[in-house]
Amino acid sequence: MNRFLSHATNRIDAKGRVSVPSAFRAVFSDGGVRELYCFQDFVFPAISVGGPELLDRFEKQMAAEDPFSDAASQMSLLVHGGGVFVKLDPEGRLMVTDFIRDFTGISTDVTFVGRGDHFQLWEPQAFARAQAEAREGRKSRGLRPE
């Protein structure tokens, strides 16, 4: 498996850690990823999590811009200013820090959402609402997955 698919909700333990779903950990393990890049999503109240290649992808986009342009500056504010590196502990748990809690509203549970080449951390009810809105938006436009 080389993609992050599906979603799962796990409870944060008394020490502020949450177990990353085993299927998601397997993607990192298969790729030899030890350090995770996390950033505040550009659209949703979610933290996006991927390997270092995710940050590399954004930095390549920025490098294609004039380094003094508004676009490059804004991207850096989001990608660098809204990002951190984290590591999973030996049991595959992630520390749910204030960086995560403050941006997402997560308190007791975390919903892990596969997004193909990365996954996201969501407050469970916020994810349910966003997914329902996405489904309804596609339905109202007569769109279906093909």
Side-chain angles (χ1 to χ4, degrees):
M1 174 176 19
N2 62 356
R3 293 280 183 263
F4 297 100
L5 302 174
S6 195
H7 67 279
T9 301
N10 291 339
R11 183 160 300 273
I12 299 169
D13 71 15
K15 294 182 180 180
R17 303 166 304 191
V18 64
S19 292
V20 175
S22 62
F24 289 8
R25 291 193 317 266
V27 174
F28 289 131
S29 179
D30 291 349
V33 174
R34 297 190 184 280
E35 194 167 43
L36 309 180
Y37 167 64
C38 302
F39 70 96
Q40 298 164 331
D41 188 75
F42 305 148
V43 177
F44 297 111
I47 298 294
S48 294
V49 182
E53 72 281 349
L54 186 58
L55 176 58
D56 292 344
R57 186 175 76 202
F58 289 130
E59 288 180 333
K60 285 178 186 169
Q61 285 180 302
M62 285 184 278
E65 299 282 340
D66 173 348
F68 301 105
S69 70
D70 287 344
S73 180
Q74 290 171 356
M75 189 73 157
S76 179
L77 283 172
L78 296 171
V79 170
H80 297 126
V84 296
F85 278 106
V86 300
K87 290 185 179 182
L88 299 181
D89 72 10
E91 287 77 36
R93 295 173 298 199
L94 177 72
M95 182 60 71
V96 183
T97 63
D98 289 343
F99 173 85
I100 294 170
R101 290 177 189 270
D102 292 346
F103 190 76
T104 62
I106 288 170
S107 59
T108 59
D109 296 302
V110 177
T111 297
F112 293 82
V113 179
R115 299 297 300 252
D117 66 345
H118 67 285
F119 67 87
Q120 293 181 316
L121 308 175
W122 284 77
E123 189 282 325
Q125 288 76 30
F127 169 67
R129 284 189 303 272
Q131 190 177 45
E133 288 171 13
R135 186 172 285 115
E136 187 56 38
R138 291 189 62 81
K139 181 180 172 185
S140 69
R141 295 188 312 274
L143 302 174
R144 294 185 178 153
E146 306 214 1

